[in-house]
Amino acid sequence: MKILVPVKRVLDYNVKVRVKTDQSGVDLANVKMAMNPFDEIAVEEAVRLKEKGVVTEIVAVSIGVAQCEAILRTALAMGADRGILVQTEDDLEPLAVAKVLKAVAGDETPDLVLMGKQAIDGDNNATGQMLSALLDWPQATFASKVEIEGGEARVTREVDGGLQTLGVTLPAVITTDLRLNEPRYASLPNIMKAKKKPLDTKALADYGVDTAARLSVVKVTEPPKRSAGIKVASADELVANLKSAGVL
Amino acid sequence: MAVLVIADHDGAHLRDTTLKTIAAAQTLSSDIDVLVYGETSAVAAQAAAAEGVRTVLTAESAELKADIAEAISALIVSVAGGYDVIAVPATASGKNFAPRVAAALDVSIISDVVEVVDGSTFVHPIYAGNALETVKTSDAKTVLTVRPTAFKPVAATGGSAAVEAVAVPAVALKTRFVSDEKVVSDRPELGSAKVIVSGGRALGSADEFKGVLEPLADKLGAAVGASRAAVDAGYAPNDYQVGQTGKVVAPNLYIAIGISGAIQHLAGMKDSKVIVAINKDPEAPIFQIADYGLVEDYKTAIPALTKALG
Ligand SMILES: Cc1cc2nc3c(=O)[nH]c(=O)nc-3n(C[C@H](O)[C@H](O)[C@H](O)COP(=O)(O)OP(=O)(O)OC[C@H]3O[C@@H](n4cnc5c(N)ncnc54)[C@H](O)[C@@H]3O)c2cc1C
Ligand SMILES: Nc1ncnc2c1ncn2[C@@H]1O[C@H](COP(=O)(O)O)[C@@H](O)[C@H]1O
């Protein structure tokens, strides 16, 4: 069985976000970039399925600038077998990413696409669901547990009010939630090995899909700031303050 | 312009997330229909009574009741022809099916809308709420998820919309429902609670989390929330998580107990009216946004607070 894992290069989650003064976007010049945390979880899950003998090949794919290669190398160091970089300078919307991933899935014919539920830059939480719709494959989003058995993935999902378990017939799209696993750190020998693993670079145009932007960004602004209030010395003083603030 | 709002409900009650999404829709149009799917008998009447609703559409099937995205999106697509905007409450359920609907209609999705500028221009947070992006769509139809905390609910009563059943399209599902494991609680839901008591990693165990926070929450009639660290460690169920990737809340009063205030947590609660932080570390980042800070060990502070509330 073969798994396709889309991985996105995003601003590292520890980096402080700065909005550009001209309101054109977020400042990404000279800041640390990393693999989207949910995609690390997806790679980890794929590698665990391979270690269990359920999966034979893991293909990581990233759509974006040339520097996405570093993200793919991280996936390879974690245990993916091959990488595909679909190179473009454009910042694609989820619908366009889903269309490119559909084309990649057409070439690769994976049994499963395992991806993050959300990229922590745009916070869209959309691409997996869109890909599933375009491929007409079943979807199981927000996974906290995945078991593969007899052509079906049994997925426990984090939903409003608790958990839901679904069985999806393969091929399917699964998106990861935080508690699916804790991703490993790549070891130095594996980082070295990853440098020799195959990585194909394609141009966006190779796929011939319509990735034209549907949304134009009017502006990006900073949200209103909240400032620190006062320190109280005791629970009694806290209650007195909350009463006078009218929230008790 | 006509807007279709997808109702969020539990089979018995229409959630106020729906009323807030209707409010967002009202800034666009007065032709607002509400689609209620699943177990509709009790909820359809509640939706019909909501202020400003033109028609309530209902659809029932086992798959819709199980909240299967493929079934819901096929249903929405089957009625989408009559609408310019489809507005979905940004809950876990809504986020599960809304992007499918958009892809099926070949339009983009705008997630977590917090402000409607005009019929094609919307504001939504990106980067865990550290930036607000205003986008303008060129698509003929717009699919949105609406962040309920950003809108005031319309009145739940006074309306008298007609209720119409719609045909449920046949879908060859490749998804089967296996089971549900819902957390039952008598407390208010996190999304609609006026007061939230939220605990972090400091609580140290599930027993301590319950034993310390519940008496306080009982006194305040509060919902209970948690940080990711507390949920990951198993102190609290997953749907308690507040933050960038959990629930977004904006109660009148949010009390953060033993929570450091990571940016991903703040993303889910910084629009609360009054924020209280109780943390033994005076340098904890949560104090930078708290209206009232108490630097104390929760082990003494929470019993004292519970007592002071009388
Ligand atoms: C992709 C991604 C998404 C994330 N999404 C979320 C999210 O949605 N929600 C979320 O919450 N987090 C999220 N996180 C995690 C987030 O970065 C933090 O790790 C998490 O919020 C920390 O939880 P905490 O404050 O409970 O724990 P800690 O940061 O460990 O803080 C514990 C606090 O308790 C205090 N303390 C300890 N003992 C006591 C005591 N006896 N009395 C009083 N105070 C005490 C300490 O001083 C400390 O400030 C996400 C992270 C990533 C990478
Ligand atoms: N440019 C991209 N390249 C590869 N994968 C992507 C890209 N954009 C989004 N994805 C995948 O889609 C998931 C959800 O992203 P989003 O819908 O943007 O929140 C991510 O976690 C990735 O797995």
Side-chain angles (χ1 to χ4, degrees):
Chain A
M1 170 170 155
K2 180 169 167 181
I3 301 195
L4 185 68
V5 187
V7 293
K8 187 175 189 191
R9 176 178 180 265
V10 298
L11 186 67
D12 184 277
Y13 79 95
N14 282 312
V15 171
K16 190 168 160 36
V17 173
R18 281 180 218 287
V19 174
K20 288 194 214 165
T21 47
D22 67 0
Q23 302 195 333
S24 63
V26 162
D27 198 350
L28 297 179
N30 306 315
V31 295
K32 188 175 174 223
M33 303 294 280
M35 191 192 303
N36 181 42
F38 289 96
D39 304 351
E40 279 186 333
I41 294 171
V43 174
E44 175 66 34
E45 195 64 18
V47 173
R48 289 186 191 186
L49 287 168
K50 194 174 173 196
E51 287 167 350
K52 279 191 207 151
V54 180
V55 166
T56 46
E57 190 183 22
I58 303 167
V59 181
V61 53
S62 192
I63 304 160
V65 293
Q67 292 89 325
C68 292
E69 185 176 334
I71 305 303
L72 287 167
R73 291 286 172 206
T74 304
L76 297 173
M78 288 174 74
D81 299 292
R82 267 194 304 127
I84 302 171
L85 168 60
V86 182
Q87 207 174 323
T88 172
E89 294 295 316
D90 299 343
D91 196 5
L92 300 186
E93 292 163 17
L95 181 63
V97 173
K99 287 181 178 179
V100 176
L101 291 175
K102 181 189 176 189
V104 174
D107 291 349
E108 295 287 340
T109 59
D111 303 280
L112 180 64
V113 181
L114 191 55
M115 58 200 287
K117 80 162 178 182
Q118 172 174 351
I120 61 161
D121 49 5
D123 282 335
N124 285 302
N125 192 336
T127 308
Q129 297 88 315
M130 288 183 141
L131 176 62
S132 157
L134 296 179
L135 287 167
D136 196 22
W137 290 2
Q139 76 176 42
T141 54
F142 323 150
S144 64
K145 189 173 174 197
V146 175
E147 287 164 319
I148 310 276
E149 211 188 298
E152 186 186 75
R154 213 182 238 240
V155 181
T156 303
R157 311 177 49 236
E158 299 207 354
V159 297
D160 303 310
L163 299 170
Q164 179 192 52
T165 303
L166 296 179
V168 287
T169 306
L170 300 179
V173 176
I174 297 177
T175 76
T176 61
D177 216 318
L178 292 169
R179 279 164 285 277
L180 182 57
N181 60 49
E182 218 171 291
R184 70 193 64 194
Y185 289 101
S187 66
L188 196 58
N190 284 342
I191 292 172
M192 299 312 290
K193 262 198 262 168
K195 292 187 177 159
K196 297 200 190 79
K197 288 187 179 176
L199 197 158
D200 259 3
T201 301
K202 304 265 191 183
L204 184 59
D206 294 346
Y207 293 95
V209 295
D210 170 20
T211 57
R214 309 296 186 84
L215 303 174
S216 58
V217 177
V218 178
K219 62 179 177 180
V220 175
T221 57
E222 259 185 70
K225 280 233 161 28
R226 241 192 131 103
S227 46
I230 59 164
K231 289 264 169 62
V232 293
S234 67
D236 287 318
E237 196 185 328
L238 176 60
V239 171
N241 273 290
L242 293 177
K243 282 193 172 140
S244 55
V247 287
L248 280 187
Chain B
M1 173 180 287
V3 185
L4 181 67
V5 169
I6 314 300
D8 175 30
H9 66 90
D10 65 3
H13 308 98
L14 188 73
R15 292 205 177 89
D16 81 341
T17 46
T18 310
L19 301 175
K20 291 169 176 174
T21 305
I22 296 171
Q26 280 187 341
T27 63
L28 287 166
S29 167
S30 51
D31 295 334
I32 298 168
D33 293 350
V34 175
L35 172 65
V36 182
Y37 68 82
E39 176 72 58
T40 69
S41 50
V43 180
Q46 295 166 27
E51 179 193 337
V53 176
R54 186 176 66 178
T55 312
V56 173
L57 309 178
T58 63
E60 297 202 343
S61 75
E63 292 79 20
L64 292 169
K65 201 174 158 192
D67 220 23
I68 305 290
E70 292 86 328
I72 304 160
S73 63
L75 170 68
I76 296 171
V77 169
S78 77
V79 297
Y83 302 96
D84 305 287
V85 177
I86 296 166
V88 181
T91 60
S93 164
K95 289 179 178 197
N96 187 38
F97 64 76
R100 269 196 92 86
V101 173
L105 297 170
D106 193 33
V107 301
S108 56
I109 177 131
I110 306 172
S111 298
D112 282 305
V113 167
V114 294
E115 190 189 328
V116 175
V117 179
D118 62 41
S120 60
T121 315
F122 305 90
V123 182
H124 72 150
I126 55 174
Y127 288 92
N130 285 302
L132 291 172
E133 184 182 57
T134 305
V135 290
K136 189 172 173 58
T137 176
S138 59
D139 286 320
K141 259 189 221 306
T142 309
V143 179
L144 311 168
T145 62
V146 173
R147 180 171 284 192
T149 53
F151 297 90
K152 288 208 164 44
V154 298
T157 53
S160 56
V163 178
E164 273 172 29
V166 296
V168 177
V171 214
L173 281 183
K174 288 170 269 183
T175 300
R176 81 190 164 88
F177 172 79
V178 177
S179 62
D180 257 343
E181 207 181 298
K182 293 283 165 85
V183 181
V184 274
S185 156
D186 305 332
R187 296 189 186 286
E189 288 187 33
L190 264 179
S192 52
K194 296 270 180 288
V195 180
I196 294 174
V197 170
S198 202
R201 193 197 307 271
L203 277 302
S205 72
D207 287 343
E208 185 77 354
F209 194 92
K210 266 201 153 100
V212 172
L213 300 188
E214 297 218 328
L216 177 61
D218 287 342
K219 273 266 159 71
L220 292 165
V224 178
S227 72
R228 174 191 170 183
V231 176
D232 282 4
Y235 310 161
N238 64 281
D239 85 316
Y240 280 31
Q241 182 178 314
V242 170
Q244 178 186 17
T245 55
K247 290 210 164 61
V248 176
V249 299
N252 286 335
L253 176 59
Y254 187 91
I255 308 183
I257 300 162
I259 292 178
S260 61
I263 197 76
Q264 295 85 5
H265 188 79
L266 303 189
M269 45 66 80
K270 70 180 164 52
D271 293 327
S272 303
K273 194 161 153 235
V274 170
I275 296 174
V276 170
I278 300 173
N279 193 305
K280 69 176 182 188
D281 173 11
E283 303 299 322
I286 188 89
F287 288 124
Q288 291 165 18
I289 60 137
D291 300 285
Y292 302 102
L294 176 57
V295 182
E296 193 178 326
D297 194 314
Y298 79 83
K299 287 188 177 114
T300 53
I302 304 308
L305 178 57
T306 310
K307 190 156 165 260
L309 289 165

